[in-house]
Amino acid sequence: MIFSKDHSVLIALALIILSSGLFMIWSSSQESAIMDELAHIPAGYGYVKYLDYRLNPEHPPMLKALSALPLVFLDNVKFPENHKSWVEDINGQWEAGAEFLYKSGNDADLLIFYARIFPIILTLLTTILIFMWGREIMGGLWALLPAFFFALSPNVLAHGHYVTTDIAATFGLVLASYFFIKALGSKSSVKSLTAGVAFGIAELMKFSMVLLVPYFLILGLIFTVSRSISR
């Protein structure tokens, strides 16, 4: 046999990821900015370019900052740093977004497309995490099923390329849950540290990820009780 079963599974996973990525890239190239992106894209650019958190402080910075990274390397990007939405207004995110994308002489389509690169990457990383977790539970072949349903879900394809906190929160939830469960009952300091870092990443994605605290407390309680009973 040229390919083993494991190779076939990885090839299938690669095809799933490639299909999902191409669908999102194509959608991204065809769509204008949605309402949230009008605030998130200039906010992220302000974080990365000016190290200034004045725009869109109601959401954590990570997704917006990651999305803005490619924009910093583009030539001749003009930011409305002298406009009142940046200089005078308190969180003038919507007006700053309109100025940045549509009124400053920038190529809005180019900025929006490049800003969506990292959300797409996070979506694909979430697919990989789902596959990894599923493979540990039920083997590689069956793990393709949840990876397929997530990666090619119409809801994920519709929202996975937007510069919003939704897909970022999904990634953070899966990442933190995966490493927290691996650390449960383990005496490994590395696993505990990894779980802590994953939890921190999740909290930087969306403020609602604070709900992971009671969720993990409940999981920890269930684990402790079940282990006591099994003894």
Side-chain angles (χ1 to χ4, degrees):
M1 294 179 63
I2 298 177
F3 295 108
S4 67
K5 181 180 177 181
D6 289 340
H7 285 147
S8 299
V9 168
L10 292 178
I11 290 172
L13 176 64
L15 290 174
I16 290 170
I17 292 172
L18 179 62
S19 299
S20 179
L22 289 176
F23 275 128
M24 288 187 288
I25 290 171
W26 181 83
S27 296
S28 180
S29 68
Q30 302 297 310
E31 298 175 353
S32 60
I34 64 171
M35 194 63 182
D36 283 351
E37 290 180 311
L38 196 63
H40 290 172
I41 293 175
Y45 192 84
Y47 303 163
V48 175
K49 182 71 173 181
Y50 302 100
L51 301 180
D52 195 305
Y53 194 56
R54 76 182 69 180
L55 296 180
N56 197 246
E58 63 263 33
H59 293 294
M62 182 167 283
L63 181 276
K64 293 171 286 182
L66 288 174
S67 297
L69 277 177
L71 307 187
V72 176
F73 298 99
L74 295 177
D75 294 329
N76 301 318
V77 175
K78 303 176 184 66
F79 191 78
E81 56 187 68
N82 296 318
H83 192 267
K84 70 180 187 66
S85 60
W86 178 258
V87 178
E88 301 175 9
D89 294 348
I90 298 175
N91 190 20
Q93 52 187 334
W94 307 109
E95 195 170 353
E99 289 289 328
F100 181 50
L101 294 177
Y102 302 114
K103 300 179 182 180
S104 297
N106 295 315
D107 185 337
D109 291 335
L110 184 68
L111 294 182
I112 293 165
F113 180 81
Y114 275 90
R116 289 171 172 170
I117 290 174
F118 267 99
I120 292 173
I121 291 174
L122 286 180
T123 303
L124 300 180
L125 286 176
T126 306
T127 301
I128 294 172
L129 275 172
I130 290 171
F131 172 79
M132 289 172 53
W133 201 348
R135 183 174 59 180
E136 292 179 8
I137 297 172
M138 53 189 175
L141 186 60
W142 283 104
L144 290 172
L145 196 61
F148 173 84
F149 282 135
F150 176 83
L152 297 176
S153 163
N155 193 38
V156 172
L157 293 177
H159 294 273
H161 59 284
Y162 291 144
V163 185
T164 67
T165 54
D166 299 321
I167 193 61
T170 303
F171 171 77
L173 173 65
V174 176
L175 181 75
S177 299
Y178 174 72
F179 284 107
F180 177 78
I181 291 174
K182 288 180 73 70
L184 272 179
S186 173
K187 296 181 180 179
S188 170
S189 58
V190 174
K191 287 185 178 180
S192 298
L193 178 61
T194 304
V197 171
F199 175 77
I201 291 173
E203 295 305 310
L204 287 171
M205 294 300 188
K206 193 168 187 175
F207 282 133
S208 59
M209 286 296 97
V210 71
L211 293 174
L212 285 173
V213 174
Y215 171 55
F216 287 167
L217 288 174
I218 293 171
L219 285 181
L221 178 62
I222 293 172
F223 175 81
T224 302
V225 171
S226 63
R227 188 169 62 173
S228 300
I229 293 174
S230 63
R231 289 177 181 175

